[in-house]
Amino acid sequence: MFYQESGQFSTRYRQDGRALRLWQQRAALWALLALAFGLLPFIGNDYWFSAILIPFLVLSLAGLGLNLLTGYAGQLSLGSAAFMAVGAFASYKLQFLLPGLPLLLSFVAGGVVAAAVGVVFGLPSLRIKGFYLLVSTLAAQFFVEWLLTKFAWFSNGNESGVITAPPLLVAGHDFGSPAGRYLLTLSVVLPLFVLAANLVRSSLGRNWMAVRDMDTAAAVIGIPILRTKLLAFAISSFILGVAGSLWAFTYLGTVEPHGFDLSRSFQVLFIIILGGMGSILGNFLGAAFIVLLPIVLSILSGSLLSGVLPAGQLENLQKIIFGVLIILFLIKEPDGLARLWQGWRARARLWPLRF
Amino acid sequence: MSETVAPLLSLAHISLSFKGVKAVTDIGFDVAEGEICALIGPNGAGKSSLLNVINGVYQPQQGEIRFAGRSRRAMQPHEAAVAGIARTFQNIALFKGMSVLDNILTGRNLASRSSWLEQAFRLGRAVADEEAQRAVAEEVIAFLRLQAWRHTPVGQLPYGLQKRVELGRALAARPRLLLLDEPMAGMNREEKREMSQFIREVNQVFGTTIVLIEHDIGVVMELSDHVVVLDYGRKIGDGEPEAVRALPEVIAAYLGQQRH
Ligand SMILES: Nc1ncnc2c1ncn2[C@@H]1O[C@H](COP(=O)(O)OP(=O)(O)OP(=O)(O)O)[C@@H](O)[C@H]1O
Ligand SMILES: [Mg+2]
């Protein structure tokens, strides 16, 4: 029994209300932080930063944004990529229109614009629920994509709609190298996770879950339903907007509407379904799964089947395996990876005893 | 009960129908501050509908609701909560995915003073606010003896305990008027005894006025100061328990065809 939780009783409400109640959890978090900030930037190679770590972090953040809206507040959405696009383009446009605007501030401003758009598309949520709300967020997805490709103003008259992101300067330092882009992404993503973790354990977070679980009862105890839902749309879209800026600025290095199409919205949805609805940790787990599985599959199939199948079919095969794995996983663990993780912890507590 | 003090709650000429089907017809009665008032009547008599009118879940077509000195044509749920009315439901309406503690804390949402930004940054009023709400929730948990299940998701609790948690969520709001829709339905004798004890204590210790719906006549007689009898949406009895029990209409309509 190496993993012990015994003896750690909360003697004050403040301790009991902590996100990480056990010292093992807090120690693991500090170790991870030391690894992420202190070690990885020095030992990682460019492939790791550009193809794995940066997309993993940005997609975790996007998952967080959608999870607040869907997993916590119970409002279904297929418009995640639209709000990401709004954030990316707003950051870009603001940087262009206000030269000298600090980079981080332009990310925040992009998030604020995305939040405003999110509120507008969240308004129908007062009247419609579930499947119908999904359709209305789908409208957001198509509308934003159309808007950004239709009007050249958004991409500064660039014919292809693809624009190169400006240099990544923060306080005079250039974060343009792969390790720099990774550090910049990490430094934006982690604080937002901390804020979200605070929020879901506070009064607003409980109001979200109350509205999700039973909105009539929520209204009866005095929770303002419209305000609660719209705040969920606003905060979710803010986070998605920042994720969109990061996707364009630190991951792709270009700002373009096609990176934010419906399949991106589905990808974000898969992350929270796989990771776990209503879980903060689950967003990391789901994003890791989504980023790593295709890489693992392509390595495996590349070494096993190269020469046997043409490259195009290999890619299709990967997609099929990916889909089947997701379905199998969901049948076995419908509550996502976060629940699986809890199960492992519960078992570690008892190990080596079986029950 | 003194006649000079204005009642806390007063209903007058309340009529409610659903697409022409009358659920409640021209009902009026008073509930004095500090009393336990029982609403009884056969199934479908309109008891739950009346409770829903009092806290604004249903808006009656006619009538007037006077609560704490303010008169209204109809209540709104939010307005009722702000005015100090809390309730439980006939079919438990807990937040299934949340823990016992979180469910009870939601009952304090109107008392929370900090903004969501303060909550996100754990700054300003947020920390003190959260601790204050937690302290009240813990009082409720101790009072209802729910300590052992504080962090258990309510969906995993047995029925009797869920009913208790729902009472806890209502109590956390420190209401002036507590509406309980069949708080003991589906409970065994022991659980019923416990729940009656809680209700009595709430009334005596906190001075909370209570309107409750209950089918078990024994419990009603023991617990209530005042009984209102409904049948087919009309009021057929209103007074002290013993007096109401003796009314011939009540015996005919209710006690004759009791189902529980
Ligand atoms: N939302 C509604 N829509 C349509 N009819 C309703 C609705 N709510 C109640 N009714 C009808 O109003 C009448 C009174 O119902 P109500 O639930 O108030 O009775 P009750 O006295 O609480 O009965 P019970 O003891 O079974 O709970 C019934 O005929 C019921 O079918
Ligand atoms: Mg009823």
Side-chain angles (χ1 to χ4, degrees), chain A residues 106-184:
Chain A
S106 79
F107 289 170
V108 172
V112 171
V113 175
V117 175
V119 167
V120 172
F121 284 98
L123 279 172
S125 71
L126 188 66
R127 285 296 159 88
I128 55 178
K129 289 179 191 169
F131 182 72
Y132 297 98
L133 184 60
L134 203 66
V135 173
S136 117
T137 58
L138 204 56
Q141 177 65 46
F142 290 129
F143 176 73
V144 168
E145 252 187 279
W146 172 81
L147 198 70
L148 293 177
T149 37
K150 171 87 183 170
F151 296 98
W153 180 81
F154 291 106
S155 43
N156 283 348
N158 209 304
E159 273 303 308
S160 62
V162 181
I163 36 188
T164 310
L168 301 172
L169 290 173
V170 178
H173 291 279
D174 186 2
F175 283 82
S177 71
R181 288 186 288 118
Y182 158 76
L183 271 177
L184 180 62

Side-chain angles (χ1 to χ4, degrees), chain A residues 10-346:
Chain A
S10 306
T11 49
R12 307 200 45 187
Y13 300 146
R14 200 180 293 193
Q15 291 173 352
D16 201 33
R18 281 207 277 224
L20 304 172
R21 216 171 52 76
L22 304 169
W23 72 260
Q24 285 97 335
Q25 292 173 320
R26 292 191 293 277
L29 181 69
W30 286 116
L32 268 176
L33 283 179
L35 183 78
F37 280 104
L39 197 57
L40 274 180
F42 300 105
I43 62 162
N45 61 34
D46 290 1
Y47 174 76
W48 269 82
F49 292 129
S50 302
I52 296 175
L53 288 169
I54 296 175
F56 158 71
L57 286 170
V58 180
L59 287 174
S60 302
L61 187 65
L64 176 72
L66 182 63
N67 219 328
L68 293 185
L69 182 67
T70 304
Y72 285 92
Q75 309 300 303
L76 294 178
S77 165
L78 266 180
S80 310
F83 304 128
M84 290 174 78
V86 171
F89 274 86
S91 298
Y92 172 73
K93 259 328 247 200
L94 285 167
Q95 282 224 327
F96 179 77
L97 295 172
L98 308 168
L101 180 71
L103 184 69
L104 293 178
L105 213 56
S106 79
F107 289 170
V108 172
V112 171
V113 175
V117 175
V119 167
V120 172
F121 284 98
L123 279 172
S125 71
L126 188 66
R127 285 296 159 88
I128 55 178
K129 289 179 191 169
F131 182 72
Y132 297 98
L133 184 60
L134 203 66
V135 173
S136 117
T137 58
L138 204 56
Q141 177 65 46
F142 290 129
F143 176 73
V144 168
E145 252 187 279
W146 172 81
L147 198 70
L148 293 177
T149 37
K150 171 87 183 170
F151 296 98
W153 180 81
F154 291 106
S155 43
N156 283 348
N158 209 304
E159 273 303 308
S160 62
V162 181
I163 36 188
T164 310
L168 301 172
L169 290 173
V170 178
H173 291 279
D174 186 2
F175 283 82
S177 71
R181 288 186 288 118
Y182 158 76
L183 271 177
L184 180 62
T185 309
L186 189 66
S187 317
V188 173
V189 170
L190 285 187
L192 286 173
F193 262 89
V194 172
L195 294 184
N198 283 343
L199 214 45
V200 298
R201 287 175 302 115
S202 68
S203 178
L204 178 62
R206 287 190 296 269
N207 289 358
W208 279 344
M209 293 187 272
V211 167
R212 171 195 71 191
D213 286 353
M214 188 163 287
D215 54 0
T216 44
V220 161
I221 60 175
I223 294 175
I225 305 291
L226 177 64
R227 190 186 130 83
T228 305
K229 283 184 179 174
L230 290 185
L231 267 175
F233 271 97
I235 294 170
S236 156
S237 304
F238 174 85
I239 291 176
L240 281 162
V242 174
S245 301
L246 290 173
W247 189 259
F249 284 60
T250 68
Y251 175 53
L252 295 179
T254 58
V255 190
E256 52 180 312
H258 303 295
F260 303 110
D261 57 2
L262 184 59
S263 64
R264 180 80 55 223
S265 284
F266 270 111
Q267 191 181 34
V268 179
L269 186 64
F270 282 146
I271 288 172
I272 69 166
I273 292 176
L274 287 167
M277 297 270 190
S279 155
I280 296 289
L281 173 72
N283 301 306
F284 286 119
L285 300 177
F289 190 90
I290 286 272
V291 171
L292 291 178
L293 189 66
I295 296 175
V296 172
L297 281 181
S298 73
I299 293 172
L300 279 181
S301 62
S303 60
L304 295 177
L305 296 172
S306 69
V308 184
L309 281 177
Q313 285 193 23
L314 209 63
E315 211 167 282
N316 282 334
L317 188 69
Q318 275 178 31
K319 280 187 187 144
I320 293 170
I321 296 176
F322 188 69
V324 170
L325 274 177
I326 286 183
I327 292 169
L328 284 180
F329 174 78
L330 287 180
I331 291 171
K332 218 169 139 26
E333 192 53 70
D335 290 331
L337 290 162
R339 176 57 56 84
L340 212 60
W341 171 246
Q342 280 174 10
W344 283 331
R345 255 183 61 195

